[in-house]
Amino acid sequence: MGLHHLLAVVAALSVAAVSHATTPVLVIHGGAGVIKRDMNAAREKAVRAALAQALRNGYAQLKAGKPALDAITAALTVLEDDSNFNAGKGSVFTHDGRNELDAAVMDGSTLRAGAVAGVHRVKNPILLARAVMERSQHVMLIGDGAEEFAREVGVTLVDPSYFRTEQRWQQLQKALREDSQDKPHADGETARHFGTVGAVALDARGQLAAGTSTGGMMDKRWGRVGDSSIIGAGTYANADCAVSGTGWGEFYIRTVAAHAICMRVSLMHVPLERAAAEVINQEIPAMGGNGGAIALDARGHIAMPFNTEGMYRGWISSDGVPHVAIYDAEPDVGVGAQDGPGG
Ligand code: ASP
């Protein structure tokens, strides 16, 4: 084969490789616990700005050719550091007034996963979950053991008072008053503030990842672990599908919600949107639970079902423009999302 011929073959191969490159997509949520009458213009503006910033930071990773996991951690640390969300700073309180945080990540291409639960000194639990995956032989570490591991691998620790915000404290006081009067929570279980943050990403190599971080449910017993940090329940990714959930965690654990969505996609070839809607809007409510989820497949299809008054959410793809929504039927992320990236 002459040199020219060889070069032509190499050029053809690289064009083929480029044309197979996937358009990256990042989808995030900031929880399904939105209660319309608790919202005001300033809060909405701050939430939308934080979601947009998280999308931009995460997408910068994907655009630079970095793996989906880098986009997940870049986006979620923004939301963990923002006290408007129930994760990291601004997490809800347990019944006895502590903050106990859970988080998990999963790499869809290798099925590797890492999780932490019941930590109260880790500034960004999503980074510790990733360190558990990449730097330990385990999938999940809890409490003091997780924090000792954080110290060893250099993940930032803070004083537990870092997580406290006055707003969350007042929410707990209200819940405790309602508990003591045996009154139902004013907004049903949504008042337990599902403000978990989550992300799913598809990188340029076509690989998926998922991550979720939370303060859990307000007024929970100390020691309670929710779905966010349980692989398959609130967080799951494989080669075909990635999911992060938000809602009443006990139901997500019992339905193994994130895994149930991905198995419909992977094994039964159910379209992503239908798979996600069946689990989130049929199976979970039929058992008495509620909440939402974000899901992404390997072709870039997005689903964002929820059955509460709103779910903080957003997505970003090739145009680099963050799309953000809070309530139902917002044009940016309604039907358009399905027609959007890769759709
Ligand atoms: N799913 C979380 C939990 O049960 C709560 C949330 O979504 O905010 O811990």
Side-chain angles (χ1 to χ4, degrees), residues 6 8 28 44 51 61 70-71 129 185 190 192 211 218 261 291 303 319:
L6 187 65
I28 62 174
E44 253 192 60
L51 291 171
Q61 299 293 319
D70 286 0
H185 283 252
T190 308
R192 294 185 184 262
M218 188 186 40
I261 294 170
D319 63 0

Side-chain angles (χ1 to χ4, degrees), residues 29 31-32 86 102 192-196 214-217 220 224-228 245-250 252:
H29 71 76
N86 171 23
D102 307 333
R192 294 185 184 262
H193 294 279
F194 309 152
T196 292
T214 188
M217 284 177 73
K220 66 184 179 181
R224 177 262 190 190
V225 176
D227 60 307
S228 308
T246 165
W248 194 346
E250 278 70 10
Y252 284 66

Side-chain angles (χ1 to χ4, degrees), residues 251-274:
F251 291 90
Y252 284 66
I253 297 172
R254 290 165 59 202
T255 55
V256 205
H259 186 259
I261 294 170
C262 288
M263 287 306 107
R264 278 171 167 77
V265 173
S266 289
L267 301 180
M268 294 153 71
H269 307 291
V270 174
L272 181 84
E273 194 181 20
R274 206 178 94 208

Side-chain angles (χ1 to χ4, degrees), residues 27 68 72 105-112 199-203 206-211 231-245 256-277 279-280 293-303 305:
V27 188
I72 302 281
V105 291
M106 186 156 185
D107 181 1
S109 62
T110 57
L111 299 182
R112 290 201 305 160
V200 289
L202 175 66
D203 64 29
Q207 299 184 339
L208 291 158
I231 297 303
T235 307
Y236 189 77
N238 63 18
D240 309 310
C241 163
V243 175
S244 169
V256 205
H259 186 259
I261 294 170
C262 288
M263 287 306 107
R264 278 171 167 77
V265 173
S266 289
L267 301 180
M268 294 153 71
H269 307 291
V270 174
L272 181 84
E273 194 181 20
R274 206 178 94 208
V279 175
I280 301 301
I294 51 171
L296 178 63
D297 73 14
R299 291 174 50 219
H301 294 112
I302 296 170

